[in-house]
């Protein structure tokens, strides 16, 4: 949600300098972008881990389906290969679950907690804006009495208006100063906050893919006993497919 100041009649006296207002708008805009990016990253990280889990669960399902293939009952070598594949897929799924749990704790949860701070920040900005409008309204009221003829009743009203203005002005100045001091600090703190999370993400990915390399290297050693190259396997499969095509039951009319 973008910051849009309220529109009211402007007092003659400049309440906030253009420089201060530009500084405020610039700092708040940076925080709005940070909020948007944090929410997007949180959403994308959740989608990524969900896709990771779906992938490894699907792989386990496929290896299980292959194990139930009738061919496994007839061919011992094929059964052994499918058992090796099934074991590898289950190990992959277990390590993947461990990786996702780690990312949830070290990246996704911290992103969610960080995002939860922004509503309070946005409310503080709204309170500052409301205080500014009250300040402008009462300043205009003071100026209106200052322009009138200095009669007794007018001087009483002017005094009352000035007394009413004083705490409102102080309230706005305090809110304005606090936000101008703390918004840059909050924005600059993002690096210290997120760096451990991103380092943990890298470590989790490195650990996972190291295990995957070990699992699939071991699987290759178990099932690749023939020592055939990919090209040789392709030629072998093509030759077998041609034999199938030559059968009368699959021949073209």
């Amino acid at each position: 949600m973008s910051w849009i100041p309220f529109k009211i009649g402007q007092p003659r006296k400049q309440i906030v300098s253009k420089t201060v207002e530009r500084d405020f708008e610039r700092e708040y805009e940076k925080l709005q972008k940070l909020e948007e990016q944090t929410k997007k990253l949180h959403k994308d990280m959740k989608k990524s881990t969900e896709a990771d889990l779906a992938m490894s669960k699907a792989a386990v399902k496929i290896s299980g389906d292959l194990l139930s293939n009738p061919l496994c009952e007839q061919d011992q070598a094929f059964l052994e290969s499918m058992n090796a594949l099934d074991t590898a897929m289950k190990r992959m799924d277990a390590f993947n679950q461990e990786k996702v749990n780690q990312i949830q704790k070290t990246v996704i949860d911290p992103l969610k907690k960080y995002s939860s701070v922004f509503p309070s920040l946005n409310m503080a900005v709204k309170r500052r804006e409301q205080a500014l409008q009250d300040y402008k309204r009462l300043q205009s009221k003071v100026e209106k009495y200052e322009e009138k003829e200095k009669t007794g009743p007018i001087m009483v009203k002017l005094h009352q208006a000035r007394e009413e203005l004083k705490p409102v002005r102080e309230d706005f100045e305090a809110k304005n100063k606090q936000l101008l001091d703390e918004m840059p600090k909050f924005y600059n703190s993002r690096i210290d906050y997120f760096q451990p999370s991103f380092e943990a993400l890298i470590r989790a990915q490195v650990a996972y893919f190291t295990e995957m390399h070990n699992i699939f290297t071991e699987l290759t050693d178990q099932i690749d006993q023939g020592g055939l190259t990919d090209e040789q396997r392709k030629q072998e499969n093509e030759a077998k497919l041609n034999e199938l095509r030559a059968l009368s039951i699959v021949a073209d009319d």
Side-chain angles (χ1 to χ4, degrees), residues 35-52:
E35 179 182 15
E36 180 183 342
Q37 291 165 349
T38 301
K39 288 180 178 178
K40 184 178 185 303
L41 183 57
H42 177 257
K43 183 178 179 181
D44 290 346
M45 285 301 305
K46 285 189 68 176
K47 283 184 177 180
S48 174
T49 53
E50 288 167 0
D52 276 354

Side-chain angles (χ1 to χ4, degrees), residues 181-205:
D181 286 346
E182 294 184 1
M183 284 195 298
K185 292 178 182 177
F186 181 83
Y187 183 78
N188 292 332
S189 71
R190 72 198 188 285
I191 297 175
D192 290 338
Y193 183 86
F194 285 123
Q195 186 170 345
S197 291
F198 296 144
E199 289 176 351
L201 173 63
I202 293 170
R203 286 195 297 270
Q205 296 284 16

Side-chain angles (χ1 to χ4, degrees), residues 23 68 113 132 158 172 185 193 216 241 244:
D23 289 345
S68 64
K113 290 176 182 178
L132 176 59
L158 175 59
F172 166 73
K185 292 178 182 177
Y193 183 86
F216 285 99
L241 184 59
L244 292 174

